Amino acid sequence: MRLRAILLTLATLALGLQALPAHAAAATATFVKVSDWGSGFEGKVTVTNGTTTALPSWNVQFDLPSGFTIPSAWDAVMTRSGQHYTFTNPSWAAPLAPGASASFGFNGSPGNFPGITGCTLNGASCGGGTTNPGVPGAPGAVSATATGSAISLSWGAATGTVTGYRVYEGTALKATTTATTATISGLAACETHTYTVRAYNAQGESPGQDATATTTGCTGGGTLPRHFLTGYWHNFVNAATELKLSAVPNEYDLVAIAFGEATATAGEVVFAVDPGLATAVGGYTDAQFKADVQALHQRGKKVILSVGGEAGRVQVAGAAAATRFADSVYALMQSYGFDGVDIDLENGLNATYMAQALRSLRAKAGSGLIITMAPQTIDMQSTGMEYFKLALSIKDILTVVHTQFYNSGSMLGCDQAQAYGQGSVNFMTALACIQLENGLRPDQVALGLPAGPGAAGGGVVAPALVNQALDCLAKRTSCGSFVPPRAYPDIRGAMTWSINWDASNNWSFSKTVKPHLQGMP
């Protein structure tokens, strides 16, 4: 009797188990960090079709923490907006059969990567769950066009279940729409606005996509602000984000085009849009570049040609070369609309003949000529260095010196007390003090720093530390252990290498430093 009762109980349990509802199968995406070597890492995502039907395509989206980037990926098509990445199946990939998996990989930087966040697969959580797809994926990239009183936005449709889209300026809701366009009207002329577009449904809002635009009606180029931000724009391809000049955000007041190059003729400088860059950005001609220079002028910006760079070989070591330098740079200013020149000769210069060249250029271009210099830290350690001699000899026509406070190791400051380590507030303030106490006006001194990880081999600092150093120099507040002998309220501003690296680091430098410059006295 006892055995029969046990068998009946087991049969009843089996029937009960068969009656339980089955959980809905789902597609999932799983991330693993394959390796991490300190300066970079390798990641892998595996998409698994756990459903009973073929998956015709897949779209994986996720966010990286600030400061991390993915320069390259394989076995997927990658697009990026800020820190938000999207990966879709390559064109050659067949539909993913039930139970099958497909993987893609990527290399990222820097190392010590903590992992991805906000992962979605075809709009649903990467962990699966077809009955609750969650919030939508981020909208596609936002484009903006402006008139004198309105800015019109358009964007790509978001993935997943989308009820509509909301457009924000900061935290203020400016528009709600079910379309992929919106127009914000009633604006004043020559105003710059940044809008964020988010998709939403009953589960919540997606990550946002930003766009910045300026209404028309600006009256020419104007003058540089009392405190301004300079950024270098790459006319070449490297690991940083490739950009057309039109993509430079409004935070930058002065854009230095890197670089004008040498020819076989001593002193001669030439420039043209790099073919590799043109290919990388989907096509870019000299005519389009010139139009973008004029568009920056309409936004109140200045654009100059930087001569030299790490590999630059421009040589001005005689009177004939000085004349050729002035003639060729002035011709490029007339052709491209450049407002001046930046001297970034990291392979040495002759202060006497470069001064001659710049004075000749000033005579041709007039008092509106912008002249900047980007010496390495070692070049401004004493007034006997050629760069320092050049700066002092053209002090009456010099706009600003933005020394590269990076890639230098430790250096002595103006107190000569100790070698300060790069990447610190002490380093920036104590070394800027050398220039400020040895002949340059405060309005001719700016701080040059990398825009974030990847931009330099050493001296990368958090943008907030740049603001702290500016306050230390301007007001003798927020200093480290080094306090300058006096305040320099006219300190001119900051420079970053580069706009492209700033883009690679989610615009952290410009979005942090520019508002601070605007708030300085």
Side-chain angles (χ1 to χ4, degrees):
M1 289 294 294
R2 181 173 298 175
L3 177 60
R4 182 179 179 185
I6 292 172
L7 290 174
L8 286 171
T9 301
L10 289 174
T12 302
L13 286 172
L15 288 171
L17 289 173
Q18 289 175 4
L20 291 174
H23 289 285
T28 59
T30 305
F31 166 79
V32 295
K33 183 166 67 171
V34 178
S35 59
D36 195 314
W37 51 93
S39 61
F41 67 93
E42 179 184 342
K44 177 182 177 182
V45 172
T46 299
V47 178
T48 301
N49 183 9
T51 72
T52 57
T53 59
L55 194 65
S57 62
W58 45 263
N59 178 306
V60 176
Q61 301 188 32
F62 53 75
D63 297 302
L64 296 191
S66 177
F68 290 87
T69 61
I70 298 176
S72 61
W74 54 91
D75 294 332
V77 178
M78 181 179 74
T79 57
R80 174 189 180 185
S81 177
Q83 295 301 104
H84 189 78
Y85 287 78
T86 300
F87 299 84
T88 56
N89 53 284
S91 59
W92 46 260
L96 201 58
S101 297
S103 297
F104 63 89
F106 48 85
N107 286 328
S109 65
N112 302 311
F113 180 63
I116 65 175
T117 58
C119 184
T120 62
L121 169 60
N122 292 349
S125 167
C126 282
T130 57
T131 58
N132 182 10
V135 300
V142 183
S143 61
T145 58
T147 66
S149 61
I151 294 176
S152 297
L153 308 170
S154 62
W155 56 88
T159 58
T161 302
V162 177
T163 301
Y165 300 90
R166 296 179 180 130
V167 180
Y168 295 91
E169 183 170 15
T171 57
L173 179 64
K174 294 296 182 180
T176 302
T177 178
T178 56
T180 55
T181 59
T183 297
I184 314 300
S185 56
L187 307 176
C190 199
E191 277 190 351
T192 299
H193 297 266
T194 298
Y195 296 106
T196 302
V197 180
R198 300 179 184 273
Y200 71 92
N201 61 17
Q203 303 301 316
E205 288 186 334
S206 73
Q209 292 275 33
D210 294 341
T212 299
T214 301
T215 51
T216 59
C218 299
T219 55
T223 58
L224 289 168
R226 174 178 169 84
H227 306 291
F228 66 87
L229 179 62
T230 300
Y232 285 82
W233 175 85
H234 297 187
N235 185 41
F236 52 85
V237 173
N238 67 356
T241 302
E242 294 91 6
L243 300 169
K244 292 183 179 180
L245 198 58
S246 57
V248 174
N250 208 54
E251 282 79 6
Y252 288 97
D253 303 294
L254 179 63
V255 179
I257 305 301
F259 293 99
E261 299 178 350
T263 71
T265 301
E268 184 173 51
V269 178
V270 295
F271 176 81
V273 173
D274 178 69
L277 172 70
T279 299
V281 297
Y284 203 29
T285 66
D286 268 24
Q288 291 170 325
F289 175 87
K290 292 175 182 179
D292 285 346
V293 171
Q294 293 306 313
L296 283 175
H297 286 160
Q298 288 298 310
R299 288 164 53 190
K301 311 304 177 184
K302 295 292 188 179
V303 184
I304 60 176
L305 178 64
S306 182
V307 176
E310 181 182 2
R313 293 294 184 270
V314 176
Q315 293 292 323
V316 179
T323 298
R324 188 61 190 145
F325 180 93
D327 289 345
S328 59
V329 170
Y330 184 60
L332 292 171
M333 290 175 62
Q334 292 180 302
S335 176
Y336 286 91
F338 298 134
D339 300 293
V341 65
D342 172 64
I343 308 302
D344 186 13
L345 299 176
E346 298 183 14
N347 296 285
L349 59 78
N350 182 302
T352 300
Y353 289 109
M354 182 55 77
Q356 179 181 322
L358 293 172
R359 289 195 179 278
S360 178
L361 179 60
R362 166 68 176 248
K364 294 174 180 291
S367 60
L369 177 71
I370 295 173
I371 300 176
T372 70
M373 295 165 54
Q376 299 175 98
T377 309
I378 189 65
D379 295 323
M380 301 300 285
Q381 278 283 284
S382 76
T383 56
M385 309 294 286
E386 288 296 293
Y387 249 112
F388 215 141
K389 286 162 58 177
L390 173 62
L392 294 175
S393 71
I394 63 166
K395 180 178 175 180
D396 58 315
I397 61 171
L398 174 66
T399 306
V400 71
V401 176
H402 33 237
T403 304
Q404 303 175 38
F405 290 132
Y406 49 93
N407 290 342
S408 63
S410 299
M411 289 278 178
L412 288 170
C414 69
D415 58 352
Q416 297 290 293
Q418 66 182 87
Y420 294 102
Q422 65 181 351
S424 67
V425 171
N426 281 340
F427 186 88
M428 291 181 275
T429 53
L431 271 70
C433 173
I434 296 175
Q435 301 167 48
L436 293 161
E437 291 295 309
N438 286 277
L440 291 182
R441 301 190 309 267
D443 67 282
Q444 293 177 315
V445 177
L447 310 180
L449 282 309
V460 178
V461 300
L465 291 186
V466 180
N467 293 345
Q468 189 177 334
L470 289 168
D471 283 346
C472 177
L473 292 167
K475 301 180 291 186
R476 301 183 81 206
T477 62
S478 303
C479 297
S481 59
F482 171 82
V483 180
R486 70 197 88 252
Y488 313 99
D490 293 330
I491 190 79
R492 202 59 194 271
M495 171 275 283
T496 191
W497 177 265
S498 61
I499 295 170
N500 301 72
W501 280 112
D502 195 19
S504 299
N505 289 284
N506 201 31
W507 305 111
S508 177
F509 194 96
S510 57
K511 287 182 178 179
T512 302
V513 176
K514 174 59 178 179
H516 190 78
L517 290 170
Q518 290 176 310
M520 290 177 63

